[in-house]
Amino acid sequence: SQQQPQGIETAVTQLIGRPLKAEAARKILLNTDITDVVSEVRKVLCCGTRPSRALYFSPSYCWLQNLRSKVWSFAYVDLGDRSQKLLVRSKRNEEAGASLTVGASKDGPVAYNTATSEWDNVSFPLTSQTDLTKPKALNLLTWNVMFDRYSGKPTPLGMPGIDWCSPKRYPVLSRLMQAEDADVIGMQEVEEAFWLHLSEQPWVKENYIMSCNVDGPAVSPWGVLMMVHKRIPVASISHLNIPAWSGHINLMPVITVEMAHGLVNISSMHLLAPYTKSHEDARSGQDNALKQRLKKSVNGDSIVMGDFNDWPTSEFVMEADTHYHDAWTNVNPKDLGKTMDETNEFAKLKIEELFFGRSDKVFYRSKKLKPTKAYMVGTKSVNKENND
């Protein structure tokens, strides 16, 4: 109809600042070939005294105006390259009150900064580790430090709740870890309170890099924290998700260190506790997810340690095709190495007997590395450690 072109004419006239010929409007409105329509629209807009605000902020293609003819053209512009040539960042930083500094993510690894008395994010390689000697051996420690969220509450299977005495446990845990002087420490069930406790310890401040900050998703509200000694050259620290079901978040830190023979990936894991049938099914899925991650996402030499939450009908094992070996059984083939049983006073009060066994394990995959020693620490109660 005649009214449609007139409507287009009015709209375009308002947009480009000059009248539009009726024939041009018809070419835009009545053409069924979208490519031709786009071409006509561009021709029309190029005739205006100003471009469309909806178009000239496009990230790759921009409307450019010739300074002499004042005609607009639609062309590709590399905005990053353009801003660099025009010194946009430098000029903006010179303006009063302007700041273009980029803040680092608070989720990544942190080290204690003695100058600021704060735990700051770090990136690798660290300049302080440039001249470090690459080690030929590593001393590893894995420990479920027990979160405090269920203190005083009955267990899922009905055992009575007890006070976990975390304010007394934390100093003992810290003291025992310090005594081990491990190159890499993997801890499960770390909460904000324990992260903060560790962050205040002089031996941690001086010697260790933490895998994440206190508010990082790996330990919020609780999760797995790793620490690597500053004497060990670190290539990277990252996280892999090991879900038990779709949408589940269970982050596993991976610290890649430089050893004399090459790179070694060290990770710490906490598998789902299978105390119900639904959890058993989810746990089976998580087992497979972990093995797939270790085979496909972690290349080369690899060590994975942590609390694998075994249960009687299904102990977590690494099949032969994964090429992972159990460090404890290789070193102590005649010792079951139970980390939870009746000799553990805390476990005896808190853990159902059917879960007694060696849930805490270290698996390795390497043609160069072999375990030479494996032993348990923290085998006494907190009271005995404190001589109470």
Side-chain angles (χ1 to χ4, degrees):
S1 69
Q2 287 297 111
Q3 292 181 346
Q4 289 176 317
Q6 289 177 355
I8 289 290
E9 288 177 42
T10 302
V12 175
T13 299
Q14 292 175 350
L15 179 66
I16 67 174
R18 67 175 63 180
L20 177 66
K21 294 181 179 180
E23 182 59 27
R26 290 190 183 93
K27 287 183 179 180
I28 294 173
L29 183 65
L30 303 178
N31 198 334
T32 58
D33 190 325
I34 189 63
T35 303
D36 289 345
V37 172
V38 171
S39 178
E40 290 298 325
V41 170
R42 288 179 176 172
K43 289 179 181 178
V44 168
L45 294 177
C46 285
C47 296
T49 57
R50 61 182 183 275
S52 166
R53 288 184 177 274
L55 294 176
Y56 67 61
F57 286 118
S58 174
S60 299
Y61 287 86
C62 297
W63 287 94
L64 307 177
Q65 187 180 41
N66 186 292
L67 295 179
R68 291 184 178 180
S69 65
K70 303 300 181 182
V71 173
W72 291 91
S73 62
F74 193 68
Y76 174 80
V77 177
D78 188 323
L79 298 182
D81 180 65
R82 187 68 177 161
S83 64
Q84 184 179 30
K85 290 180 179 178
L86 294 175
L87 301 176
V88 172
R89 179 177 288 273
S90 299
K91 293 177 180 177
R92 286 284 289 122
N93 274 333
E94 291 173 358
E95 295 179 14
S99 176
L100 293 178
T101 56
V102 179
S105 168
K106 294 183 179 180
D107 297 342
V110 291
Y112 188 72
N113 186 334
T114 55
T116 62
S117 298
E118 294 181 352
W119 285 86
D120 292 340
N121 286 94
V122 294
S123 56
F124 303 99
L126 295 176
T127 54
S128 59
Q129 294 188 329
T130 303
D131 299 324
L132 288 180
T133 301
K134 297 176 182 178
K136 295 181 179 180
L138 290 173
N139 179 23
L140 309 177
L141 175 64
T142 178
W143 204 319
N144 185 325
V145 298
M146 306 296 293
F147 51 29
D148 196 46
R149 60 195 295 113
Y150 297 129
S151 178
K153 300 178 182 178
T155 69
L157 295 183
M159 289 188 69
I162 61 171
D163 185 351
W164 294 9
C165 305
S166 293
K168 292 182 65 176
R169 287 193 304 116
Y170 289 171
V172 173
L173 285 168
S174 173
R175 189 169 71 241
L176 293 176
M177 289 180 184
Q178 180 184 7
E180 289 302 312
D181 190 35
D183 296 313
V184 181
I185 303 174
M187 294 163 281
Q188 304 81 46
E189 297 192 10
V190 174
E191 294 178 294
E192 177 182 350
F194 189 61
W195 191 102
L196 292 173
H197 177 83
L198 286 175
S199 72
E200 296 169 352
Q201 305 310 306
W203 66 275
V204 178
K205 291 180 179 180
E206 180 180 356
N207 298 310
Y208 285 89
I209 300 167
M210 290 191 179
S211 60
C212 69
N213 214 326
V214 64
D215 54 358
V219 295
S220 181
W222 59 273
V224 179
L225 174 69
M226 294 184 72
M227 299 197 307
V228 56
H229 203 289
K230 294 177 182 177
R231 64 179 170 236
I232 305 299
V234 178
S236 66
I237 296 180
S238 59
H239 289 81
L240 295 175
N241 189 34
I242 314 295
W245 58 83
S246 178
H248 180 219
I249 303 297
N250 189 2
L251 296 178
M252 177 178 74
V254 182
I255 298 179
T256 303
V257 302
E258 299 180 39
M259 296 191 66
H261 74 279
L263 298 177
V264 178
N265 303 289
I266 307 168
S267 50
S268 183
M269 185 62 196
H270 188 197
L271 291 179
L272 189 70
Y275 50 78
T276 65
K277 177 59 180 174
S278 62
H279 271 217
E280 287 187 20
D281 295 339
R283 166 57 192 276
S284 296
Q286 191 178 36
D287 288 359
N288 293 329
L290 174 60
K291 293 171 185 177
Q292 288 299 312
R293 276 294 199 180
L294 291 174
K295 286 194 294 184
K296 296 182 177 181
S297 301
V298 181
N299 300 316
D301 285 4
S302 172
I303 300 170
V304 56
M305 57 186 178
D307 181 355
F308 293 85
N309 263 323
D310 285 336
W311 77 102
T313 57
S314 185
E315 179 183 4
F316 182 88
V317 295
M318 288 287 199
E319 291 79 8
D321 65 342
T322 66
H323 303 292
Y324 279 85
H325 307 279
D326 189 328
W328 181 272
T329 55
N330 279 16
V331 176
N332 307 302
K334 296 182 180 180
D335 186 351
L336 295 178
K338 292 183 177 181
T339 54
M340 291 193 299
D341 62 8
E342 62 281 350
T343 64
N344 184 322
E345 295 183 36
F346 184 71
K348 183 169 63 176
L349 295 173
K350 178 186 173 294
I351 307 297
E352 290 79 4
E353 187 175 346
L354 61 88
F355 290 111
F356 284 176
R358 183 169 60 89
S359 292
D360 305 276
K361 301 176 181 180
V362 178
F363 295 96
Y364 69 97
R365 180 189 66 195
S366 175
K367 294 181 179 180
K368 296 287 187 179
L369 296 175
K370 293 188 181 299
T372 58
K373 184 186 297 185
Y375 59 92
M376 287 188 286
V377 297
T379 56
K380 297 179 182 179
S381 70
V382 170
N383 288 337
K384 289 182 179 178
E385 289 287 353
N386 289 330
N387 296 317
D388 292 341

